[in-house]
Amino acid sequence: VQLQASGGGLVQPGGSLTLSCTASDLTLDYYAIGWFRQGPGKEREGVLCITSNGRSTYYLDSVKGRFTISRDKAKNMVYLLLNSLKPDDTAVYYCATAPLDGLGCARSRSSFDWWGQGTLVTVSS
């Protein structure tokens, strides 16, 4: 499975970005898709996840009210909308998924088996 994350870039504090996740060999509709990030010198952490039926789960309290996740079934895409960005949001952002096992987003980071290559978000003035 090959996931591709894109949409990162340099943005000023308070700005917005939309990250995209797609796959050429997987219909994302059926799978829970998680977004993760790894900042400089930090461990990878979960951010948000969306189930196959569109329910979202926040893994990170600090992004509640600022980040949202959504799907576009026709385009086979999952989006992560980043609003009110802060310098602490600077990280490589990854999308990931796992085989169908009924867990949806209620799973540990280690149980996401398939990962994209990551896209860099830099928040700086």
Side-chain angles (χ1 to χ4, degrees), residues 31-70:
Y31 297 86
I33 306 296
W35 281 97
F36 297 79
R37 70 184 187 184
Q38 187 165 13
K42 298 179 181 179
E43 291 190 356
R44 192 171 298 188
E45 59 186 356
V47 178
L48 260 173
C49 181
I50 188 167
T51 63
S52 58
N53 61 8
R55 183 175 180 179
S56 59
T57 297
Y58 283 90
Y59 294 142
L60 196 59
D61 286 345
S62 63
V63 305
K64 289 181 179 179
R66 299 191 299 122
F67 293 5
T68 55
I69 191 169
S70 63

CSV table of all heavy atoms in Angstrom, one decimal, residues 31-70:
chain,number,residue,atom,x,y,z
A,31,TYR,N,-11.3,2.5,4.9
A,31,TYR,CA,-10.3,2.5,6.0
A,31,TYR,C,-10.3,3.7,6.9
A,31,TYR,O,-10.6,4.8,6.5
A,31,TYR,CB,-8.9,2.3,5.3
A,31,TYR,CG,-8.8,1.1,4.5
A,31,TYR,CD1,-9.2,1.0,3.2
A,31,TYR,CD2,-8.2,-0.1,5.1
A,31,TYR,CE1,-9.0,-0.1,2.5
A,31,TYR,CE2,-8.1,-1.2,4.4
A,31,TYR,CZ,-8.5,-1.3,3.1
A,31,TYR,OH,-8.4,-2.4,2.3
A,32,ALA,N,-10.0,3.4,8.1
A,32,ALA,CA,-9.7,4.5,9.0
A,32,ALA,C,-8.3,5.2,8.6
A,32,ALA,O,-7.4,4.4,8.3
A,32,ALA,CB,-9.6,4.1,10.5
A,33,ILE,N,-8.3,6.5,8.5
A,33,ILE,CA,-7.1,7.2,8.1
A,33,ILE,C,-6.6,8.1,9.2
A,33,ILE,O,-7.4,8.9,9.7
A,33,ILE,CB,-7.3,8.0,6.8
A,33,ILE,CG1,-7.9,7.2,5.7
A,33,ILE,CG2,-6.0,8.7,6.4
A,33,ILE,CD1,-7.0,6.1,5.2
A,34,GLY,N,-5.4,7.9,9.7
A,34,GLY,CA,-4.9,8.7,10.7
A,34,GLY,C,-3.8,9.7,10.2
A,34,GLY,O,-3.1,9.4,9.3
A,35,TRP,N,-3.8,10.9,10.9
A,35,TRP,CA,-2.7,11.8,10.6
A,35,TRP,C,-1.8,11.9,11.8
A,35,TRP,O,-2.3,12.0,13.0
A,35,TRP,CB,-3.2,13.2,10.3
A,35,TRP,CG,-3.8,13.4,8.9
A,35,TRP,CD1,-5.1,13.3,8.5
A,35,TRP,CD2,-3.0,13.7,7.7
A,35,TRP,NE1,-5.1,13.5,7.1
A,35,TRP,CE2,-3.9,13.8,6.7
A,35,TRP,CE3,-1.6,14.0,7.5
A,35,TRP,CZ2,-3.5,14.1,5.4
A,35,TRP,CZ3,-1.2,14.3,6.2
A,35,TRP,CH2,-2.1,14.3,5.2
A,36,PHE,N,-0.5,11.9,11.6
A,36,PHE,CA,0.5,11.9,12.6
A,36,PHE,C,1.5,13.0,12.3
A,36,PHE,O,1.6,13.5,11.2
A,36,PHE,CB,1.2,10.6,12.8
A,36,PHE,CG,0.3,9.5,13.2
A,36,PHE,CD1,-0.5,8.9,12.2
A,36,PHE,CD2,0.2,9.0,14.5
A,36,PHE,CE1,-1.4,7.8,12.6
A,36,PHE,CE2,-0.6,8.0,14.8
A,36,PHE,CZ,-1.4,7.4,13.9
A,37,ARG,N,2.3,13.4,13.3
A,37,ARG,CA,3.3,14.4,13.0
A,37,ARG,C,4.5,14.1,13.9
A,37,ARG,O,4.4,13.5,15.0
A,37,ARG,CB,2.8,15.8,13.2
A,37,ARG,CG,2.6,16.2,14.7
A,37,ARG,CD,2.0,17.6,14.8
A,37,ARG,NE,1.9,18.0,16.2
A,37,ARG,CZ,1.3,19.2,16.5
A,37,ARG,NH1,0.8,20.0,15.6
A,37,ARG,NH2,1.3,19.5,17.8
A,38,GLN,N,5.7,14.6,13.4
A,38,GLN,CA,6.9,14.4,14.1
A,38,GLN,C,7.7,15.7,14.0
A,38,GLN,O,8.1,16.1,12.9
A,38,GLN,CB,7.7,13.3,13.6
A,38,GLN,CG,9.0,13.0,14.5
A,38,GLN,CD,9.6,11.6,14.2
A,38,GLN,OE1,9.3,11.0,13.2
A,38,GLN,NE2,10.5,11.2,15.1
A,39,GLY,N,7.7,16.5,15.1
A,39,GLY,CA,8.4,17.7,15.1
A,39,GLY,C,9.9,17.5,15.4
A,39,GLY,O,10.4,16.4,15.7
A,40,PRO,N,10.7,18.6,15.2
A,40,PRO,CA,12.2,18.5,15.3
A,40,PRO,C,12.5,18.0,16.7
A,40,PRO,O,12.1,18.6,17.7
A,40,PRO,CB,12.7,19.9,15.1
A,40,PRO,CG,11.6,20.6,14.4
A,40,PRO,CD,10.3,19.9,14.8
A,41,GLY,N,13.3,16.9,16.8
A,41,GLY,CA,13.7,16.4,18.1
A,41,GLY,C,12.6,15.7,18.9
A,41,GLY,O,12.8,15.5,20.1
A,42,LYS,N,11.5,15.5,18.3
A,42,LYS,CA,10.3,14.9,19.1
A,42,LYS,C,9.9,13.6,18.5
A,42,LYS,O,10.3,13.2,17.4
A,42,LYS,CB,9.1,15.9,19.0
A,42,LYS,CG,9.4,17.3,19.6
A,42,LYS,CD,8.1,18.1,19.4
A,42,LYS,CE,8.3,19.5,19.9
A,42,LYS,NZ,7.1,20.4,19.7
A,43,GLU,N,9.2,12.9,19.3
A,43,GLU,CA,8.6,11.6,18.9
A,43,GLU,C,7.4,11.8,18.0
A,43,GLU,O,6.7,12.9,18.1
A,43,GLU,CB,8.2,10.7,20.1
A,43,GLU,CG,9.4,10.2,20.9
A,43,GLU,CD,9.0,9.2,21.9
A,43,GLU,OE1,7.8,8.9,22.1
A,43,GLU,OE2,9.9,8.7,22.6
A,44,ARG,N,7.1,10.9,17.2
A,44,ARG,CA,5.9,10.9,16.3
A,44,ARG,C,4.7,10.8,17.2
A,44,ARG,O,4.6,10.0,18.1
A,44,ARG,CB,5.9,9.8,15.3
A,44,ARG,CG,4.9,10.0,14.2
A,44,ARG,CD,5.1,9.0,13.1
A,44,ARG,NE,6.4,9.2,12.5
A,44,ARG,CZ,6.7,8.5,11.3
A,44,ARG,NH1,5.9,7.7,10.8
A,44,ARG,NH2,7.9,8.7,10.8
A,45,GLU,N,3.7,11.7,16.9
A,45,GLU,CA,2.5,11.7,17.8
A,45,GLU,C,1.3,11.7,16.9
A,45,GLU,O,1.3,12.2,15.7
A,45,GLU,CB,2.5,12.9,18.7
A,45,GLU,CG,2.5,14.3,18.0
A,45,GLU,CD,2.6,15.4,18.9
A,45,GLU,OE1,2.6,15.2,20.2
A,45,GLU,OE2,2.8,16.6,18.4
A,46,GLY,N,0.2,11.1,17.4
A,46,GLY,CA,-1.0,11.1,16.6
A,46,GLY,C,-1.7,12.5,16.7
A,46,GLY,O,-1.6,13.2,17.7
A,47,VAL,N,-2.4,12.9,15.6
A,47,VAL,CA,-3.1,14.2,15.6
A,47,VAL,C,-4.6,14.0,15.5
A,47,VAL,O,-5.3,14.3,16.4
A,47,VAL,CB,-2.6,15.0,14.4
A,47,VAL,CG1,-3.3,16.3,14.3
A,47,VAL,CG2,-1.0,15.2,14.5
A,48,LEU,N,-5.0,13.3,14.4
A,48,LEU,CA,-6.4,13.2,14.1
A,48,LEU,C,-6.6,11.9,13.3
A,48,LEU,O,-5.7,11.5,12.6
A,48,LEU,CB,-7.0,14.3,13.3
A,48,LEU,CG,-7.8,15.4,14.0
A,48,LEU,CD1,-8.1,16.6,13.0
A,48,LEU,CD2,-9.1,14.9,14.6
A,49,CYS,N,-7.8,11.3,13.4
A,49,CYS,CA,-8.1,10.1,12.6
A,49,CYS,C,-9.6,10.2,12.2
A,49,CYS,O,-10.4,10.9,12.9
A,49,CYS,CB,-7.9,8.9,13.5
A,49,CYS,SG,-8.2,7.3,12.7
A,50,ILE,N,-9.9,9.6,11.1
A,50,ILE,CA,-11.3,9.6,10.6
A,50,ILE,C,-11.6,8.1,10.2
A,50,ILE,O,-10.8,7.4,9.6
A,50,ILE,CB,-11.5,10.5,9.4
A,50,ILE,CG1,-13.0,10.6,9.0
A,50,ILE,CG2,-10.6,10.1,8.2
A,50,ILE,CD1,-13.3,11.8,8.1
A,51,THR,N,-12.8,7.7,10.7
A,51,THR,CA,-13.2,6.3,10.4
A,51,THR,C,-13.8,6.3,9.0
A,51,THR,O,-14.0,7.3,8.3
A,51,THR,CB,-14.2,5.9,11.4
A,51,THR,OG1,-15.4,6.7,11.3
A,51,THR,CG2,-13.7,5.9,12.8
A,52,SER,N,-14.1,5.1,8.6
A,52,SER,CA,-14.7,4.9,7.3
A,52,SER,C,-16.1,5.5,7.1
A,52,SER,O,-16.5,5.9,6.1
A,52,SER,CB,-14.8,3.4,6.9
A,52,SER,OG,-15.6,2.7,7.9
A,53,ASN,N,-16.8,5.7,8.3
A,53,ASN,CA,-18.1,6.3,8.2
A,53,ASN,C,-18.0,7.8,8.6
A,53,ASN,O,-19.1,8.4,8.8
A,53,ASN,CB,-19.1,5.6,9.1
A,53,ASN,CG,-18.7,5.7,10.6
A,53,ASN,OD1,-17.7,6.3,10.9
A,53,ASN,ND2,-19.4,4.9,11.4
A,54,GLY,N,-16.8,8.4,8.6
A,54,GLY,CA,-16.7,9.8,8.7
A,54,GLY,C,-16.6,10.4,10.1
A,54,GLY,O,-16.5,11.6,10.3
A,55,ARG,N,-16.5,9.5,11.1
A,55,ARG,CA,-16.3,10.0,12.5
A,55,ARG,C,-14.9,10.3,12.7
A,55,ARG,O,-14.0,9.5,12.4
A,55,ARG,CB,-16.8,8.9,13.4
A,55,ARG,CG,-16.8,9.3,14.9
A,55,ARG,CD,-17.4,8.2,15.8
A,55,ARG,NE,-17.3,8.6,17.2
A,55,ARG,CZ,-17.8,7.8,18.2
A,55,ARG,NH1,-18.4,6.7,17.9
A,55,ARG,NH2,-17.7,8.3,19.4
A,56,SER,N,-14.7,11.4,13.3
A,56,SER,CA,-13.3,11.9,13.6
A,56,SER,C,-12.9,11.7,15.1
A,56,SER,O,-13.8,11.8,16.0
A,56,SER,CB,-13.1,13.3,13.2
A,56,SER,OG,-13.9,14.2,13.9
A,57,THR,N,-11.7,11.4,15.3
A,57,THR,CA,-11.1,11.2,16.7
A,57,THR,C,-9.9,12.0,16.8
A,57,THR,O,-9.0,11.9,16.0
A,57,THR,CB,-10.8,9.7,16.9
A,57,THR,OG1,-12.0,8.9,16.8
A,57,THR,CG2,-10.2,9.5,18.3
A,58,TYR,N,-9.8,12.9,17.8
A,58,TYR,CA,-8.6,13.7,18.1
A,58,TYR,C,-7.7,12.8,19.0
A,58,TYR,O,-8.1,12.4,20.0
A,58,TYR,CB,-9.0,15.0,18.8
A,58,TYR,CG,-9.6,16.0,17.9
A,58,TYR,CD1,-10.9,16.1,17.6
A,58,TYR,CD2,-8.7,16.9,17.2
A,58,TYR,CE1,-11.5,17.0,16.8
A,58,TYR,CE2,-9.3,17.9,16.4
A,58,TYR,CZ,-10.6,17.9,16.1
A,58,TYR,OH,-11.1,18.9,15.3
A,59,TYR,N,-6.5,12.8,18.6
A,59,TYR,CA,-5.4,12.1,19.4
A,59,TYR,C,-4.7,13.2,20.2
A,59,TYR,O,-4.0,12.9,21.2
A,59,TYR,CB,-4.4,11.4,18.5
A,59,TYR,CG,-5.0,10.2,17.8
A,59,TYR,CD1,-4.6,9.9,16.5
A,59,TYR,CD2,-5.9,9.3,18.4
A,59,TYR,CE1,-5.1,8.8,15.8
A,59,TYR,CE2,-6.4,8.2,17.7
A,59,TYR,CZ,-6.0,8.0,16.4
A,59,TYR,OH,-6.4,6.9,15.7
A,60,LEU,N,-4.8,14.5,19.8
A,60,LEU,CA,-4.0,15.5,20.4
A,60,LEU,C,-4.9,16.7,20.8
A,60,LEU,O,-5.5,17.3,19.9
A,60,LEU,CB,-3.0,16.0,19.3
A,60,LEU,CG,-1.8,16.8,19.8
A,60,LEU,CD1,-0.9,16.1,20.8
A,60,LEU,CD2,-0.9,17.2,18.6
A,61,ASP,N,-4.9,16.9,22.1
A,61,ASP,CA,-5.8,18.0,22.6
A,61,ASP,C,-5.4,19.4,22.1
A,61,ASP,O,-6.3,20.2,21.9
A,61,ASP,CB,-5.8,18.0,24.1
A,61,ASP,CG,-6.6,16.8,24.7
A,61,ASP,OD1,-7.3,16.2,24.0
A,61,ASP,OD2,-6.4,16.6,25.9
A,62,SER,N,-4.2,19.6,21.8
A,62,SER,CA,-3.7,20.9,21.5
A,62,SER,C,-4.2,21.4,20.1
A,62,SER,O,-4.1,22.6,19.8
A,62,SER,CB,-2.2,21.0,21.5
A,62,SER,OG,-1.6,20.1,20.6
A,63,VAL,N,-4.7,20.5,19.3
A,63,VAL,CA,-5.2,20.9,18.0
A,63,VAL,C,-6.7,21.0,17.9
A,63,VAL,O,-7.3,21.3,16.8
A,63,VAL,CB,-4.7,19.9,16.9
A,63,VAL,CG1,-3.2,19.8,16.9
A,63,VAL,CG2,-5.3,18.5,17.0
A,64,LYS,N,-7.4,20.6,19.0
A,64,LYS,CA,-8.8,20.7,19.0
A,64,LYS,C,-9.3,22.2,18.8
A,64,LYS,O,-8.7,23.1,19.4
A,64,LYS,CB,-9.4,20.2,20.3
A,64,LYS,CG,-9.3,18.7,20.4
A,64,LYS,CD,-9.9,18.2,21.7
A,64,LYS,CE,-9.8,16.7,21.9
A,64,LYS,NZ,-10.4,16.2,23.2
A,65,GLY,N,-10.2,22.3,17.9
A,65,GLY,CA,-10.7,23.7,17.6
A,65,GLY,C,-9.8,24.4,16.5
A,65,GLY,O,-10.2,25.4,16.0
A,66,ARG,N,-8.7,23.7,16.1
A,66,ARG,CA,-7.9,24.3,15.0
A,66,ARG,C,-7.7,23.4,13.8
A,66,ARG,O,-7.7,23.9,12.7
A,66,ARG,CB,-6.5,24.6,15.6
A,66,ARG,CG,-6.5,25.6,16.8
A,66,ARG,CD,-5.1,26.0,17.2
A,66,ARG,NE,-4.2,25.0,17.6
A,66,ARG,CZ,-3.1,24.6,17.0
A,66,ARG,NH1,-2.6,25.3,16.0
A,66,ARG,NH2,-2.3,23.6,17.5
A,67,PHE,N,-7.7,22.1,14.1
A,67,PHE,CA,-7.5,21.2,13.0
A,67,PHE,C,-8.8,20.4,12.8
A,67,PHE,O,-9.4,20.0,13.8
A,67,PHE,CB,-6.4,20.2,13.3
A,67,PHE,CG,-5.0,20.8,13.3
A,67,PHE,CD1,-4.7,22.1,13.2
A,67,PHE,CD2,-3.9,19.9,13.5
A,67,PHE,CE1,-3.5,22.7,13.3
A,67,PHE,CE2,-2.6,20.4,13.6
A,67,PHE,CZ,-2.4,21.8,13.5
A,68,THR,N,-9.1,20.1,11.5
A,68,THR,CA,-10.2,19.2,11.2
A,68,THR,C,-9.8,18.2,10.1
A,68,THR,O,-8.8,18.5,9.4
A,68,THR,CB,-11.4,20.0,10.8
A,68,THR,OG1,-11.1,20.8,9.7
A,68,THR,CG2,-12.0,20.8,11.9
A,69,ILE,N,-10.5,17.1,10.1
A,69,ILE,CA,-10.2,16.1,9.1
A,69,ILE,C,-11.5,15.8,8.3
A,69,ILE,O,-12.6,15.8,8.8
A,69,ILE,CB,-9.7,14.8,9.8
A,69,ILE,CG1,-9.1,13.8,8.8
A,69,ILE,CG2,-10.8,14.2,10.7
A,69,ILE,CD1,-8.4,12.7,9.5
A,70,SER,N,-11.3,15.5,7.0
A,70,SER,CA,-12.5,15.2,6.2
A,70,SER,C,-12.1,14.3,5.0
A,70,SER,O,-10.9,14.0,4.8
A,70,SER,CB,-13.1,16.5,5.6
A,70,SER,OG,-12.1,17.1,4.8
